[in-house]
Amino acid sequence: AQSVTQLDSHVSVSEGTPVLLRCNYSSSYSPSLFWYVQHPNKGLQLLLKYTSAATLVKGINGFEAEFKKSETSFHLTKPSAHMSDAAEYFCVVSDSGANNLFFGTGTRLTVIP
Amino acid sequence: DTGVSQDPRHKITKRGQNVTFRCDPISEHNRLYWYRQTLGQGPEFLTYFQNEAQLEKSRLLSDRFSAERPKGSFSTLEIQRTEQGDSAMYLCASSLAAGGFTDTQYFGPGTRLTVL
């Protein structure tokens, strides 16, 4: 069975400093992993996706994530936070080829000017 | 805008009433999904269609819920005899079959349901 644990419900960073949002997953098979972002009153937007190719995945807006099988982790990082990055971030897992996504409970990112 | 659209964006109803939501996917996408998101939680999978066939339903989808995709294009989600516990954001997503890998799902803005 698949599951996702987002280790921090809220992360606060200063503008221009690095962002780290942590995610651990559990999957019976080879997983597909995603990060989605949800801005207030807007739909979920895909940031990046891992599907068994390169373990370091680059996404939009300067975000990237590294798949570490030994640690069952897929942490999201960005070198320098921008005010527009303030949003809710969801780590998502699916068994490769499956069609239902399992979302974590989300991490709210606050960016302090 | 050619993204996923949902209608209405907000719905307030009284307990016991029936409600119906509509989702229009990205036009070339053959798969369509419904999720429910309650406050402070991530979305939870409800059901999915490939073309007009409903291929998977979650245990969350009680008998009061029914979804259709009659012509393999738009979809409707109906909730009968609504309960206060049905209050949530209902999200629709669509994708193009990826041939072995999990598809990338594109989400609509959601319909927020409030049951009084």
Side-chain angles (χ1 to χ4, degrees):
Chain A
Q2 307 95 324
S3 67
V4 169
T5 302
Q6 292 187 244
L7 297 160
D8 306 293
S9 59
H10 188 207
V11 169
S12 184
V13 301
S14 296
E15 190 177 16
T17 64
V19 176
L20 170 63
L21 304 184
R22 298 181 295 164
C23 172
N24 287 100
Y25 70 91
S26 172
S27 175
S28 303
Y29 304 103
S30 178
S32 293
L33 292 157
F34 307 78
W35 277 96
Y36 279 85
V37 61
Q38 188 173 39
H39 287 93
N41 301 314
K42 292 193 175 180
L44 286 157
Q45 181 184 19
L46 179 71
L47 278 179
L48 50 80
K49 166 182 178 179
Y50 166 79
T51 55
S52 79
T55 56
L56 183 62
V57 182
K58 293 189 183 298
I60 61 171
N61 301 333
F63 284 96
E64 63 182 37
E66 186 171 8
F67 173 70
K68 291 187 176 180
K69 186 175 181 179
S70 61
E71 298 177 10
T72 60
S73 70
F74 191 58
H75 301 333
L76 182 71
T77 59
K78 182 174 180 177
S80 177
H82 191 273
M83 294 299 295
S84 60
D85 295 329
E88 188 88 17
Y89 291 79
F90 292 97
C91 183
V92 183
V93 67
S94 178
D95 285 340
S96 187
N99 296 295
N100 48 340
L101 302 179
F102 290 85
F103 284 74
T105 51
T107 298
R108 179 164 299 279
L109 176 65
T110 300
V111 182
I112 302 166
Chain B
D1 185 273
T2 57
V4 178
S5 61
Q6 293 187 245
D7 185 68
R9 295 290 304 275
H10 303 273
K11 179 71 177 178
I12 300 173
T13 191
K14 292 183 180 179
R15 186 164 49 95
Q17 298 294 305
N18 298 345
V19 294
T20 300
F21 309 139
R22 176 180 170 124
C23 171
D24 287 90
I26 294 171
S27 59
E28 64 269 25
H29 285 183
N30 56 350
R31 290 180 173 166
L32 186 147
Y33 311 78
W34 286 99
Y35 292 81
R36 181 175 69 186
Q37 184 177 19
T38 53
L39 206 58
Q41 300 297 315
E44 296 171 292
F45 170 78
L46 293 178
T47 188
Y48 112 89
F49 293 83
Q50 177 148 322
N51 300 314
E52 65 275 9
Q54 189 173 17
L55 296 186
E56 191 169 347
K57 293 199 289 187
S58 161
R59 285 173 294 178
L60 292 174
L61 211 65
S62 77
D63 292 345
R64 296 184 297 104
F65 287 69
S66 63
E68 295 183 344
R69 193 182 184 200
K71 297 182 180 178
S73 57
F74 73 92
S75 175
T76 58
L77 178 67
E78 181 183 16
I79 309 174
Q80 297 182 325
R81 305 180 303 282
T82 52
E83 301 173 356
Q84 288 184 326
D86 297 331
S87 295
M89 178 76 85
Y90 290 85
L91 297 168
C92 177
S94 70
S95 72
L96 192 59
F101 293 106
T102 299
D103 306 346
T104 297
Q105 297 182 22
Y106 296 87
F107 284 80
T111 294
R112 181 169 296 284
L113 173 66
T114 302
V115 181
L116 301 176

